[in-house]
Amino acid sequence: MADYHFVYKDVEGASTQWDDIQRKLGNLPPKPPAFKPPAFEPAVDPDSVPKDKSWVDDKTEEELEELEDDPDLDDDRFLEEYRKKRLAEMREAAKISRFGSVMPISGSDFVREVSQAPPDVWVVVILYKDGFAECGLLMQCLEELARKYPATKFVKIISTDCIPNYPDRNLPTVLVYNNGAVKANYVGLRSFGRRCTPEGVALVLCQSDPVLNDGQSGSDPSRKTVLEGVRKRLIEKVVAEHEDDDDGSSSD
């Protein structure tokens, strides 16, 4: 005949007088806190949320587009204008995020990536070949400019893939496109001065057109605005280099 026994279990968190004595003597671990359920919070009703700037800021691009016919915004000119502004900012940011580096393309990509680029996008094309030191130097400059001016599109293509039998003596060659047309071309490294630097290349590219766009000056920055920005970056770099030289001299 099997032996049966019962285990009596009290309410969770309950304690006996004996247990309390043992805890005081250190023979038992501290009593765990009693379970307390979280306070009930009803779900937020989307219609009850106040419609202000923060409400618009929380919306995605798709949600902002859907709000175009929202009757509540029809009665609130400020919110409607702010919705349009946020939507334009998101679209501009999305456009900028496509660039930021020198993208390699092939001959079959040229029309789509360069000639058919949007009219508000300037495209800088470098024709190059591997193993040419001059091409490597100019490529480094363009890589830095691509990071600083992410709203300008930079692409690179092997010269003979772009133009069959293109002479190596003309490398590197830079072509500037906008709205499907060539706006400028620079043949050879000497086109960018005796010392090829990112700042020097930037000044040459912007001599006649606002080629470089950092995405902070609006969708159609003027040539004057772009040149002022380029010169400001150049001055800041020169000042920083002089400060580094002074620090090095003082430490000696």
Side-chain angles (χ1 to χ4, degrees):
M1 185 173 178
D3 293 333
Y4 292 94
H5 63 278
F6 296 92
V7 176
Y8 293 94
K9 191 171 183 180
D10 207 337
V11 179
E12 183 176 356
S15 176
T16 64
Q17 187 177 10
W18 174 255
D19 290 339
D20 294 339
I21 294 172
Q22 293 301 314
R23 286 193 178 90
K24 288 182 180 180
L25 296 175
N27 296 328
L28 288 178
K31 182 180 178 181
F35 171 74
K36 184 178 180 181
F40 173 74
E41 294 184 3
V44 177
D45 182 4
D47 294 332
S48 65
V49 177
K51 294 183 178 180
D52 51 16
K53 286 182 64 176
S54 61
W55 176 76
V56 175
D57 290 336
D58 291 337
K59 299 293 182 182
T60 64
E61 182 177 346
E62 293 77 12
E63 289 172 337
L64 289 177
E65 290 175 346
E66 293 174 357
L67 289 175
E68 184 174 3
D69 300 324
D70 191 314
D72 292 336
L73 295 189
D74 291 340
D75 299 331
D76 193 325
R77 171 179 275 182
F78 170 77
L79 271 187
E80 175 58 18
E81 291 300 320
Y82 188 68
R83 181 193 72 85
K84 291 179 180 179
K85 178 184 176 183
R86 284 288 298 142
L87 194 56
E89 291 173 348
M90 287 181 175
R91 288 170 177 169
E92 184 69 16
K95 181 184 70 175
I96 292 172
S97 66
R98 294 202 306 265
F99 312 128
S101 64
V102 181
M103 181 178 69
I105 64 172
S106 63
S108 59
D109 300 327
F110 194 90
V111 172
R112 182 182 70 253
E113 298 292 344
V114 179
S115 303
Q116 295 179 351
D120 61 336
V121 173
W122 286 85
V123 186
V124 177
V125 185
I126 175 172
L127 277 58
Y128 78 104
K129 274 188 177 179
D130 292 326
F132 286 72
E134 294 85 354
C135 294
L137 179 58
L138 183 56
M139 191 75 73
Q140 290 178 1
C141 295
L142 294 182
E143 286 283 3
E144 183 170 333
L145 293 179
R147 292 190 292 270
K148 290 181 178 178
Y149 301 96
T152 296
K153 188 174 186 178
F154 289 81
V155 300
K156 61 182 179 180
I157 181 171
I158 296 175
S159 58
T160 49
D161 285 353
C162 182
I163 305 173
N165 302 317
Y166 191 74
D168 291 347
R169 66 177 179 274
N170 291 344
L171 298 180
T173 294
V174 171
L175 307 175
V176 178
Y177 275 76
N178 180 250
N179 203 17
V182 179
K183 298 297 183 179
N185 64 84
Y186 306 94
V187 179
L189 196 63
R190 291 186 178 180
S191 301
F192 301 100
R194 290 186 300 172
R195 291 184 63 229
C196 185
T197 64
E199 294 75 23
V201 173
L203 287 172
V204 172
L205 290 176
C206 296
Q207 280 180 348
S208 56
D209 293 296
V211 175
L212 301 179
N213 186 355
D214 60 6
Q216 307 300 319
S217 305
S219 59
D220 187 24
S222 66
R223 170 179 170 272
K224 180 180 178 181
T225 301
V226 173
L227 277 175
E228 287 176 353
V230 171
R231 291 192 181 105
K232 180 181 178 182
R233 289 178 185 269
L234 176 58
I235 293 171
E236 290 173 348
K237 182 175 181 179
V238 171
V239 171
E241 289 176 349
H242 279 295
E243 290 177 347
D244 292 341
D245 291 343
D246 293 341
D247 292 341
S249 301
S250 60
S251 62
D252 293 339

